[in-house]
């Protein structure tokens, strides 16, 4: 025991005391632990082997063994601040200032949040900032007396800009009744130039036939896929990770009474079905664990019905995990799960594929197609339609690079398979500029593709 005590005494000398750190000083903590261990009444039963292991561990820390073995490849901190700035913010002077001068700060903050939660005022929607507006206008190049379709009207940012760019006519389509009401307001603002339609892509042929609009009669079509800010900013609709509300997620807002809601999916689907939804539509790496946790919660506690409950379950499956978005900002662990549920509930990918097929039939020769996608599943379908990698009007699930050219050696057959009515305008996908992303962070994932119908 005396030998062990001397070894630890020499080791303690490598950790000088730092009185400025108070109770956070590692040297003081180790001294207290060593003193407590060797002055214990159980010292005669001291475990020599355990003591040696702890000594070796502390000695490696004291000699910076791990720092030398695992050298840092980045000098920045997780906060984005430099080491000097972090030390300044966490200094005793700053902590003392926060404690003495700002005692009521957090109390005021909590009270303001509580007042917002208890407020019963009507929800004020934040206007949807149109993404890549200049690029869309450049590729569509609206001209007087031409007819265009905005297949995803949303809040009407793109539509308004097209109408002010030229004396053209516009058909607006959206499945959301809130967006439909905004389209009717736009029609009053631009009389005899806007035709608002309420429905999904699959309902478009019927809606156009009722208005005597035939195939090959449209000069340009615009798609802006994904959720609009109106849907995300309304917690009651269940789209947002950060706002509590029932898990609805229906873009139709109940227009179709037979459409299933997100909470009904979580209450009725089995574990394997939930796993497939999260893995395929959300590309969630912990899909199996999350699906299992939802089933356990369903049988042992209650059905998952609110966005907050779903976020808490996902967080419990991702302990000590911090995800970042493309702007290196903290991102909820449940973002991909919410995306997967939204896509499944609204049948988004099948509707997208059908919309691309409709574009081929309703555009004139040399008509223009512009699409804006926000994740890889959407962009893949658009890219394969434009490239001609489709089978029976459906985007081929297998990329062309995985298809062996040895299977078919007849050039005519190959040309028939890869026949496409589209010619891409932009060789590579376009992304928003840094200025636009800084101005509108929700545009960070946007991917724009443009094409011309050539046959």
């Amino acid at each position: 025991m005396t030998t062990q005590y001397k070894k630890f005494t020499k080791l303690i000398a490598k950790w000088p005391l730092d009185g400025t750190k108070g109770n956070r000083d590692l040297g003081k903590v180790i001294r207290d632990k060593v003193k407590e261990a060797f002055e214990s009444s159980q010292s005669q039963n001291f475990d020599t082997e355990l003591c040696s292991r702890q000594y070796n561990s502390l000695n490696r820390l004291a000699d910076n063994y791990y720092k030398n073995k695992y050298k840092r490849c980045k000098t920045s901190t997780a906060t984005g601040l430099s080491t000097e700035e972090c030390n300044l913010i966490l200094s005793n002077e700053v902590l003392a200032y926060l404690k003495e001068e700002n005692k009521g700060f957090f109390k005021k903050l909590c009270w303001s949040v509580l007042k917002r939660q208890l407020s019963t005022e009507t929800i004020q929607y934040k206007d949807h900032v149109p993404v890549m507006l200049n690029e869309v206008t450049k590729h569509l190049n609206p001209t007087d007396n031409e007819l265009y379709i905005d297949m995803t009207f949303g809040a009407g940012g793109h539509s308004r800009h097209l109408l002010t760019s030229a004396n053209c006519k516009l058909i607006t389509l959206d499945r959301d009744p809130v967006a439909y009401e905004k389209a009717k307001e736009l029609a009053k603002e631009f009389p005899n130039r806007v035709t608002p339609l309420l429905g999904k892509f699959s309902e478009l042929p019927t809606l156009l036939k009722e208005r005597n609009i035939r195939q090959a009669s449209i000069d340009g079509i615009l798609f802006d896929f994904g959720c609009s800010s109106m849907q995300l900013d309304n917690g009651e609709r269940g789209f947002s990770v950060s706002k509590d509300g029932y898990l609805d997620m229906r873009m139709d807002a109940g227009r179709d009474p037979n459409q299933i809601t997100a909470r009904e999916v979580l209450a009725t689907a089995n574990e394997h079905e939930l796993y497939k939804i999260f893995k395929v539509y959300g590309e969630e790496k912990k899909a199996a664990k999350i699906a299992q946790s939802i089933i356990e919660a369903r049988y042992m506690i209650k059905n998952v019905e609110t966005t907050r409950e779903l976020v808490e379950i996902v967080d419990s499956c991702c302990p000590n995990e911090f995800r970042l978005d493309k702007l290196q900002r903290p991102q909820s662990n449940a973002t991909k799960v919410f995306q997967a549920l939204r896509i499944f509930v609204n049948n988004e990918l099948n509707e997208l594929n059908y919309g691309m097929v409709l574009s081929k039939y309703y555009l004139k020769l040399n008509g223009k197609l512009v699409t804006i996608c926000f994740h890889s599943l959407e962009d893949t379908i658009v890219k394969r339609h434009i490239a001609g990698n489709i089978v029976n009007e459906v985007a081929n699930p297998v990329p062309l690079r995985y298809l062996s050219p040895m299977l078919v050696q007849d050039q005519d057959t190959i040309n028939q398979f890869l026949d496409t009515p589209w010619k891409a305008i932009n060789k590579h996908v376009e992304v928003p500029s840094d200025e636009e992303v800084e101005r509108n962070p929700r545009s960070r994932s946007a991917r724009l593709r443009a094409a011309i119908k050539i046959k």
Side-chain angles (χ1 to χ4, degrees):
M1 176 179 170
T2 305
T3 304
Q4 295 286 358
Y5 183 74
K6 289 181 179 179
K7 286 171 60 178
F8 275 96
T9 303
K10 293 179 180 179
L11 180 62
I12 289 175
K14 296 183 180 181
W15 267 294
L17 287 171
D18 186 353
T20 62
K21 293 183 178 179
N23 294 330
R24 295 182 293 114
D25 180 26
L26 182 60
K28 184 177 184 302
V29 172
I30 293 178
R31 283 169 169 79
D32 293 341
K33 292 293 183 182
V34 171
K35 184 177 181 181
E36 179 183 351
F38 283 96
E39 290 183 354
S40 172
S41 59
Q42 304 295 328
S43 57
Q44 64 273 15
N45 299 325
F46 206 81
D47 189 339
T48 306
E49 184 179 352
L50 175 62
C51 187
S52 298
R53 288 202 306 270
Q54 292 178 342
Y55 170 81
N56 292 333
S57 298
L58 290 173
N59 196 36
R60 283 195 291 267
L61 291 174
D63 293 337
N64 281 332
Y65 170 81
Y66 298 104
K67 180 180 180 182
N68 297 327
K69 183 177 180 180
Y70 305 105
K71 295 185 181 297
R72 295 189 63 175
C73 58
K74 296 181 180 178
T75 56
S76 62
T77 61
T79 61
L81 303 176
S82 65
T83 306
E84 292 74 16
E85 290 171 329
C86 286
N87 290 335
L88 176 63
I89 291 175
L90 296 176
S91 65
N92 289 328
E93 292 78 7
V94 173
L95 292 175
Y97 171 78
L98 291 174
K99 186 181 295 185
E100 297 298 328
E101 301 295 331
N102 294 323
K103 287 182 177 179
F105 173 73
F106 292 104
K107 187 176 181 180
K108 293 177 183 177
L109 178 63
C110 294
W111 175 241
S112 64
V113 172
L114 181 62
K115 285 197 296 183
R116 286 201 301 270
Q117 291 179 346
L118 297 176
S119 176
T120 57
E121 297 179 0
T122 304
I123 296 174
Q124 298 294 326
Y125 296 112
K126 194 187 300 179
D127 286 339
H128 182 84
V129 180
V131 177
M132 303 184 74
L133 189 58
N134 296 329
E135 291 85 347
V136 168
T137 307
K138 178 186 70 174
H139 291 305
L140 281 179
N141 190 22
T143 308
D144 294 349
N145 301 320
E146 289 189 342
L147 179 61
Y148 298 88
I149 300 182
D150 186 348
M151 298 282 275
T152 48
F153 179 76
H158 290 110
S159 295
R160 181 180 297 277
H161 196 263
L162 293 175
L163 292 168
T164 54
S165 300
N167 187 24
C168 58
K169 293 186 177 181
L170 188 67
I171 298 172
T172 65
L173 177 72
D174 204 293
R175 62 194 299 178
D176 193 334
V178 177
Y180 178 63
E181 294 299 322
K182 284 185 170 288
K184 291 198 291 188
E185 294 175 4
L186 186 68
K188 295 177 182 177
E189 188 176 342
F190 295 89
N192 302 320
R193 293 179 60 191
V194 179
T195 304
L197 301 178
L198 175 62
K200 301 179 288 188
F201 299 156
S202 54
E203 297 172 327
L204 182 63
T206 303
L207 296 171
L208 293 181
K209 186 177 181 180
E210 292 172 355
R211 290 156 180 81
N212 297 319
I213 298 174
R214 300 180 178 180
Q215 295 183 11
S217 62
I218 308 299
D219 295 285
I221 292 180
L222 168 65
F223 289 95
D224 181 9
F225 301 111
C227 273
S228 68
S229 293
M230 297 184 301
Q231 294 164 341
L232 291 171
D233 293 334
N234 185 353
E236 295 178 358
R237 301 194 62 176
F239 287 96
S240 177
V241 177
S242 59
K243 294 179 174 59
D244 192 24
Y246 281 107
L247 285 162
D248 191 321
M249 293 194 184
R250 294 175 295 176
M251 289 183 175
D252 293 354
R255 186 170 61 92
D256 180 4
N258 296 321
Q259 186 181 1
I260 193 170
T261 64
R263 63 176 178 270
E264 289 172 340
V265 172
L266 297 179
T268 57
N270 60 39
E271 183 176 338
H272 182 65
E273 290 169 340
L274 289 176
Y275 164 76
K276 288 175 65 177
I277 291 172
F278 300 151
K279 189 67 176 178
V280 176
Y281 294 141
E283 299 175 321
E284 171 57 55
K285 59 184 179 182
K286 294 192 175 181
K289 189 174 182 180
I290 294 171
Q292 182 182 13
S293 299
I294 291 174
I295 296 297
E296 290 175 352
R298 193 165 82 189
Y299 283 105
M300 297 177 63
I301 307 173
K302 63 185 290 289
N303 289 337
V304 181
E305 296 185 340
T306 67
T307 57
R308 181 175 297 173
E309 291 172 353
L310 181 56
V311 170
E312 290 175 352
I313 287 179
V314 176
D315 285 339
S316 70
C317 299
C318 309
N320 303 321
E321 184 171 343
F322 301 96
R323 301 184 182 183
L324 301 175
D325 62 14
K326 292 187 177 181
L327 298 181
Q328 298 303 302
R329 303 179 307 175
Q331 182 185 52
S332 172
N333 296 326
T335 298
K336 291 184 177 181
V337 173
F338 273 65
Q339 171 190 304
L341 279 174
R342 191 201 78 212
I343 291 174
F344 179 80
V345 167
N346 297 286
N347 195 23
E348 290 184 34
L349 298 186
N350 287 329
E351 287 289 329
L352 188 160
N353 186 85
Y354 194 76
M356 291 296 296
V357 174
L358 290 178
S359 301
K360 179 178 68 174
Y361 289 110
Y362 278 94
L363 275 176
K364 294 178 179 177
L365 197 62
N366 296 321
K368 297 167 186 175
L369 170 71
V370 176
T371 66
I372 301 176
C373 303
F374 288 86
H375 57 77
S376 60
L377 297 176
E378 296 172 342
D379 189 56
T380 298
I381 294 176
V382 172
K383 179 172 59 177
R384 292 181 184 174
H385 270 277
I386 293 176
N389 186 16
I390 59 175
V391 179
N392 296 327
E393 302 285 20
V394 177
N396 190 351
V398 182
L400 286 175
R401 66 176 180 271
Y402 293 131
L403 298 178
S404 173
M406 301 302 294
L407 297 176
V408 179
Q409 298 183 5
D410 183 10
Q411 187 62 41
D412 292 337
T413 304
I414 295 175
N415 293 338
Q416 182 179 355
F417 273 114
L418 300 181
D419 184 43
T420 175
W422 304 106
K423 178 184 178 182
I425 298 176
N426 47 358
K427 184 177 180 181
H428 301 289
V429 66
E430 296 184 23
V431 297
S433 62
D434 294 339
E435 293 77 13
E436 180 173 1
V437 172
E438 185 177 357
R439 186 173 64 252
N440 179 22
R442 286 180 178 174
S443 69
R444 63 188 180 276
S445 302
R447 298 291 182 269
L448 185 145
R449 295 184 185 273
I452 298 176
K453 181 182 175 183
I454 57 176
K455 61 173 74 172

